[in-house]
């Protein structure tokens, strides 16, 4: 009997592996002890007259589960001796296919497959035509150092194809690496490959440096874009807040008008019809104006906030100094030379704007930071220039909001109407919102966008912006100037 047949007799019919702790059934067939235990477990559900049994996988002979099987000592010793005989130099390479605790030593190693096989599992390579071209060598674990075509140790290196070779690859019958190919020893190739790797490493580092530079530039660009977007966002938010403030002012103005109309209607029964007709006329005009304004989709045109506000030197007090751009005024101790046609006030430090407002919506801002006392508002052109009526807001031709640092309070005044109040934080910039058609004049903190006071009036003539950088005569002269500018929406 040849070795293949002997090895086949040492294989368990259940697990198809070499016997491990073999036991013998009453029928004479041998199996691994663990395989028999599995057969017993699978047969626990099968009973016959109260006695369970299982069958032999080979001859189907019944075997009682209560029988205690004996270990086949002879078969176990034979397997031990065969394994000891196979433990020779190179026998520490085991079969790659065998499973279990006792893997058989490899008899051959296939260089083409990169696997080792025992005498049983090598049979397909010896019998199957598909595997006839595979190269079989003595058992070895280092198949990567053998030539896949000849099974010999790799000793040469082809620089042309970047392929390791054995000496058989250089035979005349092997023409792949002969004509025009540069073949060197494998030891020399190590330095060549190392130099090539160093060159590639340098290129990779250079490319990596370029990529890192590009990433840094991309981060800088993203940061700049983010800052620009945040700045633009803040601009739009400020614009929307200002529009909301103007809408709130208009809403409160109309609430006041309707409230006054209701009180007048209840108090003056006799003139009810006449009053209602007048109110109806005003409401129709206001609705027409509001519908015309709402039909305009451009917020800049709606608010008319881009018109320039300039100062008229002809209306300035002799001790007021106005810059060349006509947008800044400061009170000084020295008197300026008045022009022959000067319309300036002789007592109060006031100056009017050059443009008159007779219809539409208007808004402008005045910087009052550092001024101990000031006043801003609107006035008719015919406002008195002589005391005591030349004080801004003291007559029926001007509407003004003034501030006194010494008293720490504001005062809204028109003729005999006077209202004093205080705020938590003194504004650095005062905004004015004028609705000629509705008769609304509102003062607000231009930084916090908080309404300070609103006049509800009826203008009988065009009004001019009015400015007073020194409202109280006993206050000191300061270098800070009152600056006028249009309302910035964006």
């Amino acid at each position: 009997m040849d070795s293949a047949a002997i090895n086949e007799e040492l294989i368990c019919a259940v697990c198809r592996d070499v016997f491990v702790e073999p036991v013998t059934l009453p029928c004479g067939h041998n199996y691994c002890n663990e395989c028999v235990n599995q057969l017993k477990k699978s047969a626990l559900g099968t009973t016959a007259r109260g006695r369970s049994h299982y069958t032999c996988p080979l001859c189907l002979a019944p075997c009682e589960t209560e029988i205690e099987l004996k270990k086949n000592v002879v078969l176990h010793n034979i397997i031990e001796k065969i394994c000891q005989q196979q433990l020779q130099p190179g026998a520490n390479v085991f079969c790659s296919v065998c499973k279990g605790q006792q893997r058989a030593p490899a008899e051959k190693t296939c260089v083409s497959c990169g696997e080792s096989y025992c005498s049983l599992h090598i049979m397909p390579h010896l019998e199957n035509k598909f595997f006839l071209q595979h190269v079989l060598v003595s058992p070895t674990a280092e198949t990567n150092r053998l030539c896949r075509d000849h099974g010999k140790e790799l000793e040469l290196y082809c620089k042309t194809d970047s392929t390791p070779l054995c000496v058989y690859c250089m035979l005349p019958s092997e023409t792949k690496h002969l004509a025009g190919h540069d073949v060197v020893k494998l030891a020399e190739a190590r330095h060549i490959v190392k130099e090539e790797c160093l060159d590639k490493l340098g290129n990779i580092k250079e490319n990596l440096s370029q990529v890192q530079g590009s990433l840094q530039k991309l981060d800088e660009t993203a940061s700049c874009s983010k800052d620009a977007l945040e700045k633009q966002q803040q601009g739009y938010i400020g614009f929307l807040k200002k529009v909301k403030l103007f809408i709130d002012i208009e809403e409160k103005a109309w609430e006041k008008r309707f409230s006054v109309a209701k009180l007048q209607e209840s108090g003056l029964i006799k003139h009810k019809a006449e009053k209602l007709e007048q109110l109806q006329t005003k409401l129709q005009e206001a609705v027409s104006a509001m519908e015309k304004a709402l039909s305009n989709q451009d917020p800049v045109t709606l608010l008319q906030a881009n018109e320039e506000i300039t100062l008229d030197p002809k209306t300035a007090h002799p001790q007021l100094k106005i810059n060349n751009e006509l947008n800044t005024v400061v009170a000084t101790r020295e008197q300026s030379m008045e022009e022959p046609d000067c319309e300036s006030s002789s007592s109060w430090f006031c100056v009017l704007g050059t443009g008159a407002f007779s219809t539409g919506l208007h808004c402008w801002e005045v910087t009052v930071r550092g001024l101990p006392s000031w006043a801003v508002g609107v006035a008719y052109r015919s406002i008195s220039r002589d005391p005591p009526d030349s004080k801004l807001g003291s007559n029926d031709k001007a509407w003004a909001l003034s501030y006194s640092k010494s008293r720490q309070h504001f005062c809204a005044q028109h003729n005999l109407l006077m209202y004093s109040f205080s705020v938590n934080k003194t504004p650095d910039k005062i905004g004015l919102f004028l609705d000629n058609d509705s008769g609304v004049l509102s003062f607000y903190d231009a930084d916090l966008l908080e309404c300070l006071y609103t006049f509800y009036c009826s203008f009988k003539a065009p009004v001019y912006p009015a400015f007073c950088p020194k409202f109280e005569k006993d206050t000191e002269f300061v270098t800070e100037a009152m600056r006028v500018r249009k309302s910035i929406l964006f």
Side-chain angles (χ1 to χ4, degrees), residues 50-81:
R51 298 177 62 186
S52 60
H53 67 276
Y54 59 94
T55 59
C56 174
L58 294 176
C59 65
L60 302 180
C63 182
E64 300 294 335
T65 57
E66 299 177 353
I67 298 177
E68 183 178 355
L69 301 178
K70 301 296 183 179
K71 178 179 179 181
N72 193 330
V73 180
V74 175
L75 182 57
H76 179 269
N77 293 338
I78 293 174
I79 294 173
E80 289 285 339
K81 289 182 179 180

Side-chain angles (χ1 to χ4, degrees), residues 85-95 104-109 116-117 137-142:
Q85 291 176 359
Q86 292 180 346
L87 290 177
Q88 298 174 354
N92 56 347
V93 179
F94 296 95
C95 179
E107 184 173 326
K108 291 289 183 180
T109 297
S116 299
Y117 304 99
V137 297
S138 298
T140 178
E142 298 180 351

